[in-house]
Amino acid sequence: MTSRFVLDCTEKMKNRVVSFSGGNHFFARQNLLPARVQNLPQTLEMVTESGHSKRPMCPSCSKPVRFCLCTRLKTPCLENSVAVTILQHSLEKNHPLNSTRIASIGLQNLSVISVSDVNYEAQFLMRLLNSNLEMGSQKLDENSSTNIKDSNFDSNAAASFTIEKYGAICPSQKQDLDKLLASRAAINDIRKGFLVKKLQRKLLDGSSEFQELEEFEITVPPGSVLLFPSENSIGTEEIDFEVKNLIVLDGTWAKAKRMYNENPWLKMLPHVRLDVERLSLYSEVRRQPRAGYLSTIESIVYALKAVGEKDSEGLDHLLDVFESMVGDQRRCKDEGLRQRLSNCD
C-alpha cells in the first residue's frame, strides 16, 4: 500500500515547481524525487524542520532577523515609574503581531506572566503581603473554599478558590466569593497587596488521579489596578489614589475575557477603562471588534499616560515601533498576495 501511494504521488508531482520558505529560489520537484521517495517519513521531518529553522530569529524580540525590532527602540529603555504586569495568554506569545514583545524590550519596569486556559480545574491560593502566615500553612475549611474571619478578610486570613473550565465555580464557593467581594473592609485589605498562586489540575492519561502543577505565583503590590472594561470599571480620571502597578491582559478579546473569568482574584482589584474611540493601528492587518479595542502596547501607552507617566515622548516612540511592525506585516501580506497571483498566471 505504501509503495503504491508513493508511486502515485511521484507521478502526480513530476515537473511540479515548489517554493521553499526563506527565499525566492524555485526548484524542480522532479530533481528531488529519488531521495524523497527512498525515505518519505524522513522527508516530511526535513521539510518541517526547514520551515522552522531557515529564518534566523532574534532572541530578544522573537522576530525574524530581517524584521528585528531591537534596533528600532531607543536605548536605554524607558524607565517607567508605574510598573506594568502583563498577563499573557499562552497561545498569544508566538503570534507575529503580538505587541507585548515591544513592551518587553521597551519598558524597564515590566513583567510578563504566561496564563493558560483552565482545561479541567485550577486552584487559586491567596494571602496578604502583611500576613505572617506562609501560603498553605493555614488549613481551610473543607466545606468552604474561603476562610473569612468575622466576614473580614484580615491580615491573618487565607483564601482559596477552585475554578473549572470557563470560570465555573460551585454554588457554595460562589457564595464565598460574592461575600468576599461585598466586604469593603476585606477588599481594602486585599488591595494593600497580596500574593496569588495558581495550580493547574489535570487528569493523568488513563487514570482517575490528578497531576497538580504550579502555573504562576504573582505578587500584586499596593496601588495595583486592572485595565479591563467591566461593569464596575471607572475612567482613569476618576482614580483617587496613586497607581503604582498596571495589570494588562494580553490576548484577543475572547481570550482576555476567558482569562478574566478564570482568574477570580482579578475581580478584587480596582478596574479602570480607557475611554478612547480611536481605531487601533492593528486595523489593517488584524481584525478588531470595534473602535476602542486596542493592541496591548497601545493600551499600555495610553493607560500609562492617563495615570501620570511623565515620559510622554518615550511612550510615543513605542507606538512608532509598533506602527513599523504593523507595516512589516502589511508588506509581507502584500508580497504573499503578489506571489500567489503570479503562481496563478
Side-chain angles (χ1 to χ4, degrees):
M1 176 68 73
T2 302
S3 59
R4 175 65 178 276
F5 169 76
V6 172
L7 289 174
D8 288 346
C9 290
T10 302
E11 201 62 30
K12 293 178 181 178
M13 296 296 289
K14 280 183 179 180
N15 300 320
R16 184 174 177 180
V17 175
V18 296
S19 172
F20 288 84
S21 61
N24 296 321
H25 302 287
F26 291 86
F27 302 89
R29 182 74 175 190
Q30 59 182 356
N31 294 333
L32 299 175
L33 275 175
R36 301 286 171 130
V37 172
Q38 290 175 7
N39 195 335
L40 186 59
Q42 182 181 359
T43 298
L44 295 175
E45 184 178 354
M46 288 171 60
V47 171
T48 302
E49 290 180 352
S50 66
H52 289 284
S53 63
K54 277 293 183 183
R55 293 192 302 176
M57 306 294 287
C58 173
S60 296
C61 65
S62 303
K63 295 287 285 183
V65 169
R66 73 185 185 111
F67 296 131
C68 178
L69 302 173
C70 302
T71 56
R72 310 178 197 184
L73 286 159
K74 295 178 180 178
T75 54
C77 59
L78 192 153
E79 190 174 352
N80 47 308
S81 59
V82 178
V84 177
T85 302
I86 299 177
L87 304 183
Q88 183 179 60
H89 193 279
S90 57
L91 298 180
E92 193 70 14
K93 179 180 178 179
N94 295 322
H95 193 287
L97 279 173
N98 181 264
S99 62
T100 287
R101 68 187 86 226
I102 296 175
S104 297
I105 57 181
L107 294 174
Q108 188 175 98
N109 195 4
L110 177 138
S111 58
V112 180
I113 311 296
S114 180
V115 180
S116 301
D117 290 335
V118 177
N119 292 320
Y120 181 75
E121 188 177 89
Q123 185 179 25
F124 293 88
L125 305 172
M126 295 178 59
R127 72 171 173 83
L128 300 184
L129 292 182
N130 63 352
S131 172
N132 295 321
L133 298 177
E134 293 296 326
M135 178 65 71
S137 63
Q138 182 172 349
K139 181 176 176 59
L140 301 178
D141 184 354
E142 294 180 356
N143 297 320
S144 174
S145 63
T146 310
N147 188 329
I148 304 176
K149 184 178 180 181
D150 298 328
S151 300
N152 183 18
F153 192 76
D154 64 15
S155 60
N156 290 323
S160 173
F161 296 99
T162 300
I163 302 297
E164 297 177 356
K165 195 170 183 178
Y166 305 124
I169 183 171
C170 70
S172 62
Q173 291 182 339
K174 189 176 186 308
Q175 290 175 5
D176 290 334
L177 180 59
D178 291 343
K179 184 178 180 181
L180 182 59
L181 293 173
S183 170
R184 183 180 296 274
I187 294 301
N188 286 340
D189 282 342
I190 291 172
R191 292 177 180 179
K192 292 176 183 177
F194 62 93
L195 182 145
V196 60
K197 180 187 293 186
K198 179 183 179 182
L199 303 172
Q200 280 271 27
R201 290 177 177 174
K202 299 180 180 179
L203 278 172
L204 294 173
D205 293 339
S207 171
S208 59
E209 296 182 359
F210 289 99
Q211 180 184 30
E212 191 169 75
L213 301 172
E214 181 179 323
E215 182 172 301
F216 62 69
E217 182 173 317
I218 304 174
T219 298
V220 182
S224 293
V225 298
L226 173 67
L227 185 62
F228 191 79
S230 69
E231 293 181 357
N232 299 320
S233 64
I234 61 174
T236 52
E237 70 282 354
E238 300 177 62
I239 301 174
D240 58 359
F241 59 91
E242 182 182 1
V243 176
K244 297 181 179 179
N245 182 47
L246 178 70
I247 299 177
V248 182
L249 306 184
D250 178 40
T252 62
W253 180 235
K255 290 174 184 173
K257 286 196 295 185
R258 198 154 61 243
M259 281 194 289
Y260 180 75
N261 290 329
E262 292 182 350
N263 287 267
W265 59 276
L266 291 174
K267 296 178 173 64
M268 303 174 193
L269 296 168
H271 292 33
V272 298
R273 64 179 182 271
L274 290 174
D275 295 320
V276 295
E277 291 300 325
R278 68 183 72 204
L279 200 62
S280 171
L281 292 170
Y282 261 152
S283 58
E284 295 183 23
V285 291
R286 195 175 187 184
R287 184 177 177 273
Q288 299 295 289
R290 59 182 174 84
Y293 284 65
L294 305 173
S295 67
T296 298
I297 190 62
E298 289 171 307
S299 299
I300 290 173
V301 166
Y302 297 136
L304 286 180
K305 284 185 177 183
V307 298
E309 190 64 47
K310 295 180 179 179
D311 192 349
S312 181
E313 182 180 346
L315 291 172
D316 287 338
H317 175 66
L318 298 181
L319 293 184
D320 292 338
V321 175
F322 175 59
E323 186 173 16
S324 72
M325 186 183 79
V326 172
D328 292 339
Q329 186 69 13
R330 184 173 58 247
R331 284 189 293 274
C332 285
K333 289 182 67 175
D334 292 342
E335 290 172 5
L337 178 60
R338 287 195 296 270
Q339 185 74 42
R340 288 193 294 272
L341 291 175
S342 64
N343 289 340
C344 293
D345 291 342

